[in-house]
Amino acid sequence: MTKPIIAIPADIRAIDGATWHAVQQQYVNAALKASGLMALIVPAMEEGYDIDAILDRVDGVLISGSASNVHPSLYGRQATEADGPFDPARDATSLPLIRRAIDRAIPLLAICRGIQELNVALGGSLDSEIQDLPGRSDHRRPEGTDRDALYAIRQSVFVKEGSCIANFIGAGEVRVNTLHRQAIAETAPRLQVEAVAEDGTVEAVSVIDAKAFAVGVQWHPEYWAETDIASNRLFSAFGDAVRDYAAGKMQAMPVKAIA
């Protein structure tokens, strides 16, 4: 069987006066090398998409991180300049893709902005600038431009016993590279909290009623997916789920009668 294909929704980027649809290489690289999957980048469009037509052609969905934030109007709040930057085309592509992938039992892994999109797609809300909230820590990326330093594994999250991701990376304290300034505020009714930071910030969730792998993490397992054990196990589990879905899809295809 050929390698299964996953969809990764793109971000909108303005480069030299032109509009680009882009995904950071670290996500594509992790999908290929740690999950054994091929990636199809889905352009971000505000309207006109047939989401089922996209999902008919893939075996999984990876929702990546991004510098942009989900627009607050999508979870019932007024937007301020501090909440940005925004990417309405990304919102319009990712949120319905998430909902339909879950409905169709297509494996889903959501990372950083992705976990926030997953929460909003299913009816939850977000907090901005969590470092300014009482009792919360500063989860933002450090200063500098060296990417290995930016994505260094430096924080602890606590994975709950019996949770979905505990099956893959183990329960208890896990060291990760979480760097963000927004986080889940009200958890969507269909989501189960899987892991929290020391300050109580939600760092991982799963979809309670999902019939396939459907997990979101606030940290960045894609960056060290080839070398960090926990990151590799999460991407390996996602790859296995996608291959199982692809195999099931192949078995369900009608066999052409031989004349």
Side-chain angles (χ1 to χ4, degrees), residues 41-90:
I41 297 174
V42 179
M45 303 294 290
E46 289 193 60
E47 58 183 7
Y49 261 167
D50 180 343
I51 295 298
D52 281 312
I54 296 170
L55 292 174
D56 285 346
R57 290 161 172 80
V58 300
D59 308 298
V61 175
L62 173 61
I63 309 294
S64 71
S66 174
S68 66
N69 294 321
V70 180
H71 199 279
S73 64
L74 295 169
Y75 49 93
R77 296 190 183 179
Q78 287 289 114
T80 68
E81 188 175 339
D83 294 323
F86 303 122
D87 187 343
R90 162 81 183 245

Side-chain angles (χ1 to χ4, degrees), residues 128-134 136-140 180-182:
S128 297
E129 308 303 338
I130 58 171
Q131 69 278 355
D132 296 332
L133 299 177
R136 303 291 277 277
S137 303
D138 192 343
H139 294 249
R140 291 174 297 179
H180 56 102
R181 63 185 180 88
Q182 287 198 321

Side-chain angles (χ1 to χ4, degrees), residues 30 77 82 96 116 151 200 210 259:
R77 296 190 183 179
Q116 296 168 16
Y151 286 89

Side-chain angles (χ1 to χ4, degrees), residues 115 118 184 187 191-194 202-207 214-217:
I115 190 178
L118 172 60
I184 289 175
T187 306
L191 294 182
Q192 169 178 284
V193 175
E194 300 256 319
V202 174
E203 291 285 343
V205 296
S206 64
V207 180
V215 168
V217 296

Side-chain angles (χ1 to χ4, degrees), residues 6-255:
I6 59 169
I8 308 179
D11 300 325
I12 293 293
R13 290 284 182 267
I15 304 173
D16 295 332
T19 299
W20 295 70
H21 298 261
V23 171
Q24 288 191 65
Q25 182 172 325
Q26 62 200 54
Y27 297 97
V28 179
N29 195 61
L32 176 64
K33 296 184 177 181
S35 296
L37 307 171
M38 302 300 293
L40 172 68
I41 297 174
V42 179
M45 303 294 290
E46 289 193 60
E47 58 183 7
Y49 261 167
D50 180 343
I51 295 298
D52 281 312
I54 296 170
L55 292 174
D56 285 346
R57 290 161 172 80
V58 300
D59 308 298
V61 175
L62 173 61
I63 309 294
S64 71
S66 174
S68 66
N69 294 321
V70 180
H71 199 279
S73 64
L74 295 169
Y75 49 93
R77 296 190 183 179
Q78 287 289 114
T80 68
E81 188 175 339
D83 294 323
F86 303 122
D87 187 343
R90 162 81 183 245
D91 293 340
T93 303
S94 289
L95 270 64
L97 195 66
I98 288 169
R99 286 189 284 260
R100 281 300 289 154
I102 294 169
D103 289 345
R104 293 181 52 167
I106 296 173
L108 170 73
L109 176 59
I111 295 172
C112 193
R113 187 196 209 268
I115 190 178
Q116 296 168 16
E117 289 172 291
L118 172 60
N119 190 53
V120 172
L122 298 183
S125 64
L126 305 175
D127 275 331
S128 297
E129 308 303 338
I130 58 171
Q131 69 278 355
D132 296 332
L133 299 177
R136 303 291 277 277
S137 303
D138 192 343
H139 294 249
R140 291 174 297 179
R141 55 187 267 174
E143 298 293 331
T145 58
D146 180 81
R147 292 188 66 78
D148 284 358
L150 292 177
Y151 286 89
I153 295 173
R154 64 171 66 83
Q155 297 185 51
S156 293
V157 299
F158 297 87
V159 179
K160 296 185 177 182
E161 290 278 358
S163 64
C164 177
I165 64 170
N167 294 325
F168 314 131
I169 68 175
E173 183 176 1
V174 178
R175 299 286 286 176
V176 301
N177 52 352
T178 180
L179 49 158
H180 56 102
R181 63 185 180 88
Q182 287 198 321
I184 289 175
E186 181 181 356
T187 306
R190 293 176 65 188
L191 294 182
Q192 169 178 284
V193 175
E194 300 256 319
V196 296
E198 291 178 289
D199 64 354
T201 299
V202 174
E203 291 285 343
V205 296
S206 64
V207 180
I208 295 168
D209 56 353
K211 295 179 174 61
F213 185 104
V215 168
V217 296
Q218 186 61 72
W219 66 87
H220 285 272
E222 84 287 347
Y223 196 85
W224 302 107
E226 294 180 75
T227 56
D228 174 63
I229 293 175
S231 300
N232 184 267
R233 286 176 177 172
L234 187 58
F235 265 89
S236 294
F238 176 57
D240 290 343
V242 172
R243 278 183 286 276
D244 287 345
Y245 176 84
K249 193 164 66 172
M250 288 292 292
Q251 291 173 3
M253 291 179 62
V255 179

